[in-house]
Amino acid sequence: MSNYVEKKRKFWYDNTILRIGGTIVDPITKKFLGEFCNSFELGNMDQIKVFEHFCNYCCVNKENGIVDIRLNDMSTGENAQGIDGIAIIVNHKLVTSVSEIEFQILNNRSLDVKFVFIQAKTSSSFDNALMLNFMNFVKVFFSNDISEFNTSEIMNFFEMKEYIYEHAECMIEANPQLAMYYVTTGKWVEDRTLKKLVERYETELKELNIFSDIKFVPCGATEIQSLYRNTKNVLSTKFKFEKCVVMFGDEDSDSIGYSGVIPFKEYRKIIINDSDSLKPVFDDNIRDFLGNRNSVNKAILSTLQNLDINSFCMLNNGITIIAKKVSLTGTTAVLTDYQIVNGCQTSHILYENRNLDNIDELLIPIKVIGTKDETTRNSITKATNSQTSIKPEQLEALSDFQKNLETYYTTYDEAQRLYYERRTGQYRLESIPKTKIVNIPQQIKSVSAMFLDNPHGVSGNYGAIVKKVGGKIFRANDKPILYYTSSLTQYKIEKLISENIIDKQYNKCRYHAMMLFRIYVSGKKVPRFNANTMESYCQKIIDILQDDSRYPIIFCKIVDFIIEQESIDFNDRKTFERKETTDYLLEKTTEMKRFIDQ
């Protein structure tokens, strides 16, 4: 079995001195690394690789405030030249394939792009040669010469970059932004020589004429500690709310609501973070941004660009914000743990035009509701979206089935416990491994791949899969065990990949491997989702997944079987996005069983 390897040594965080790459790590960074390691279950991973993931996670969260983030999505692979992490953010979403960028163009008809590069060094100083190497490879990445790069991960990032620039006509507002983070465990002291080096490379990158903004961010131990703290903070904001009235107040449920208007200079504080990016405040919004070419959004844009303050306020339906806590002292409002549940389109257009002259005085109608009651939150979200073209399946997060599914996940003991996140960020403050949290998009992907024989659709992009399977899942009488089973299967195979028991380069076939795992253990024919036989069908799979001596071997043999198929080309980025690949593997299931059992 070429893909089955022994587990590596534990990455311990006790009272002993921690050295990474020969450098002693300070106690605070060490503590944060320990928390991070536990959060993502990285105990068996090499220490230097853990530090790279830690830096990637902190820096990308700073740039985009991403809640649902997969560490391998940012990794450049083993022995990548000069760059430890890359994130490509398109229309405020982390993309991992060309297909996801295609979907963004189809859905939004525009591209708003940010490239983030990270280099993580455990040295206690900022090294001139290493910084030079990092910035040089960033520059090479944006050239046409790919000979310097030798990992499949960087090649995937390179293909995405090429595709973006091939569709430059979709960059309606501006060229892509570029952020470069160089992280060490030392201290940045504004060294003149290093600053001149950075300025020189920033100038060279500007001369490529392909970026709207370029920044180099040096991070020492203090800065990376601060970035990590920010990944754990609950969203909060403070702004002036001078023109408002109380809509309601209920002391028994600790709920309160305000309605009024605020100028954009105050609304900025609600939606824009310190790095001039949108905050992750739209995760509970039912619709993504639909782009400037959407008819409603065109009208918003036209009114906005005319800067007719009165018309904008009268014609716009306004923003609805729900927070766990709202306090109003005098004219100062403070929101804690909040989301914008209606107003995604308006907010994005305001953000894209945030630099228009005099826009700060534009008045925005808003409703602010503070409540901890889930029923109230859901009712408000449904009500504020009921007059728009929202499809029924897009309200699924608010249904009784979702509540019951969340409860079902709690019936499993600690050893096999996963946590179903029906509402974005509901486990943010709890010490639960992020790898064990299953959100609705992840659930849709896993069950579609495993039980609907659609791994090719899932491998492409989430938006497309929702449109295809919306009416086939989350139905009232479905057996919840099939949803848990698909999530547990995905958790197990991704853990094998994370621990390098299955080589990371085969991550792209994990959804197909999940489908084949189901077929090998329980048979090809899937019972009806509401059938009683679904219970025993799924329990067979769960029993195998609970056996740590069996399931890794089966998964590794399944991956080996896929690799051995001559007609499957791992170098073709679209191989696992084609239905033909799925159909081919489904025809080979008898042969696969013999391969595994031999």
Side-chain angles (χ1 to χ4, degrees), residues 249-267:
D250 185 349
E251 292 184 3
D252 292 336
S253 63
D254 195 26
S255 298
I256 193 165
Y258 299 93
S259 179
V261 293
I262 60 174
F264 182 65
K265 65 183 176 184
E266 297 301 320
Y267 192 60

Side-chain angles (χ1 to χ4, degrees), residues 370-541:
T371 182
K372 296 179 181 178
D373 182 70
E374 285 296 317
T375 302
T376 303
R377 293 177 67 100
N378 295 342
S379 297
I380 293 167
T381 304
K382 281 186 175 181
T384 54
N385 286 282
S386 62
Q387 296 178 346
T388 59
S389 55
I390 300 298
K391 296 180 181 179
E393 62 265 25
Q394 293 177 295
L395 291 166
E396 188 55 50
L398 312 175
S399 71
D400 288 337
F401 182 85
Q402 292 291 323
K403 296 175 186 176
N404 294 334
L405 187 57
E406 180 184 6
T407 302
Y408 180 83
Y409 270 65
T410 68
T411 63
Y412 286 86
D413 60 29
E414 192 58 35
Q416 299 300 325
R417 179 71 193 275
L418 298 176
Y419 298 81
Y420 192 65
E421 186 179 64
R422 181 169 54 87
R423 185 180 67 81
T424 302
Q426 69 187 75
Y427 297 114
R428 188 182 294 129
L429 299 181
E430 298 185 35
S431 56
I432 296 169
K434 294 183 185 298
T435 47
K436 291 191 172 185
I437 297 174
V438 180
N439 60 28
I440 292 176
Q442 290 168 358
Q443 181 70 93
I444 291 173
K445 282 188 172 186
S446 66
V447 78
S448 300
M450 191 169 180
F451 286 94
L452 292 176
D453 291 345
N454 192 20
H456 51 282
V458 173
S459 299
N461 57 73
Y462 165 63
I465 196 72
V466 170
K467 291 182 178 180
K468 292 179 181 177
V469 306
K472 299 178 182 178
I473 61 175
F474 296 148
R475 292 174 296 190
N477 296 319
D478 285 357
K479 297 294 183 182
I481 192 172
L482 78 98
Y483 295 93
Y484 170 81
T485 302
S486 67
S487 294
L488 182 64
T489 307
Q490 182 165 354
Y491 168 76
K492 291 291 188 177
I493 190 172
E494 289 185 350
K495 190 171 178 62
L496 294 177
I497 295 168
S498 172
E499 294 179 350
N500 207 32
I501 293 172
I502 294 176
D503 196 300
K504 291 180 177 61
Q505 67 177 306
Y506 303 121
N507 181 60
K508 63 183 73 174
C509 74
R510 69 189 184 280
Y511 289 115
H512 288 76
M514 288 167 58
M515 178 188 72
L516 295 177
F517 187 92
R518 182 209 91 222
I519 293 171
Y520 175 76
V521 174
S522 289
K524 197 169 186 178
K525 186 177 180 180
V526 179
R528 296 191 317 275
F529 282 15
N530 62 353
N532 290 331
T533 52
M534 180 61 82
E535 296 279 353
S536 57
Y537 186 86
C538 289
Q539 192 58 52
K540 291 179 184 178
I541 299 170

Side-chain angles (χ1 to χ4, degrees), residues 65-315:
I66 297 166
V67 177
D68 178 25
I69 196 166
R70 304 267 175 171
L71 300 182
N72 285 332
D73 288 346
M74 301 173 289
S75 176
T76 55
E78 299 294 331
N79 302 315
Q81 291 278 25
I83 302 168
D84 293 320
I86 299 175
I88 300 178
I89 300 164
V90 176
N91 299 340
H92 315 290
K93 294 186 180 299
L94 187 68
V95 295
T96 59
S97 68
V98 168
S99 293
E100 292 179 13
I101 302 171
E102 288 174 340
F103 181 77
Q104 286 297 322
I105 293 175
L106 179 66
N107 194 47
N108 296 328
R109 299 182 183 177
S110 64
L111 290 175
D112 180 346
V113 182
K114 180 183 290 185
F115 294 99
V116 184
F117 288 76
I118 304 104
Q119 176 72 309
K121 292 295 180 184
T122 56
S123 59
S124 57
S125 62
F126 286 81
D127 184 278
N128 189 316
L130 293 176
M131 285 176 58
L132 178 66
N133 189 55
F134 170 52
M135 288 185 288
N136 182 60
F137 275 110
V138 172
K139 184 180 177 183
V140 170
F141 180 88
F142 288 99
S143 71
N144 293 320
D145 182 12
I146 60 173
S147 61
E148 298 280 359
F149 302 112
N150 55 9
T151 72
S152 60
E153 290 89 344
I154 287 195
M155 290 303 299
N156 183 53
F157 288 121
F158 189 87
E159 284 186 7
M160 287 193 284
K161 180 265 296 185
E162 291 288 282
Y163 188 83
I164 286 168
Y165 282 106
E166 285 170 5
H167 292 79
E169 73 278 3
C170 296
M171 300 175 196
I172 298 170
E173 298 298 323
N175 288 346
Q177 300 175 57
L178 171 64
M180 297 173 286
Y181 284 81
Y182 186 91
V183 186
T184 79
T185 56
K187 182 179 180 181
W188 176 254
V189 293
E190 301 286 338
D191 180 272
R192 290 180 62 186
T193 301
L194 296 179
K195 287 183 70 176
K196 285 185 177 179
L197 175 67
V198 171
E199 289 169 0
R200 190 187 95 201
Y201 264 88
E202 285 182 339
T203 300
E204 292 182 9
L205 287 165
K206 286 177 183 175
E207 289 173 352
L208 296 177
N209 296 318
I210 59 174
F211 303 111
S212 62
D213 182 63
I214 298 171
K215 67 178 180 181
F216 178 86
V217 185
C219 292
T222 301
E223 288 78 18
I224 199 66
Q225 290 165 12
S226 176
L227 291 180
Y228 179 68
R229 287 190 183 97
N230 288 337
T231 68
K232 303 196 300 176
N233 288 344
V234 172
L235 274 169
S236 64
T237 190
K238 181 190 294 185
F239 62 96
K240 291 290 183 184
F241 201 1
E242 294 177 329
K243 300 178 180 180
C244 69
V245 294
V246 178
M247 293 188 296
F248 65 88
D250 185 349
E251 292 184 3
D252 292 336
S253 63
D254 195 26
S255 298
I256 193 165
Y258 299 93
S259 179
V261 293
I262 60 174
F264 182 65
K265 65 183 176 184
E266 297 301 320
Y267 192 60
R268 284 178 183 271
K269 301 170 185 177
I270 298 173
I271 64 169
I272 302 176
N273 62 23
D274 293 339
S275 62
D276 199 36
S277 300
L278 279 170
K279 293 180 179 181
V281 294
F282 305 102
D283 297 301
D284 282 356
N285 196 286
I286 293 173
R287 290 183 299 180
D288 285 338
F289 180 51
L290 301 176
N292 290 333
R293 298 182 187 181
N294 171 271
S295 59
V296 175
N297 292 348
K298 278 183 179 179
I300 296 173
L301 181 61
S302 175
T303 305
L304 179 62
Q305 291 180 338
N306 290 330
L307 279 176
D308 186 337
I309 294 175
N310 292 327
S311 291
F312 187 88
C313 191
M314 287 188 295
L315 297 174

Side-chain angles (χ1 to χ4, degrees), residues 1-6 496 500-502 548-549 552-553 556 560:
M1 268 186 312
S2 61
N3 297 304
Y4 190 75
V5 298
E6 293 296 322
L496 294 177
N500 207 32
I501 293 172
I502 294 176
D548 290 343
S549 66
I553 295 173
C556 287
D560 278 343

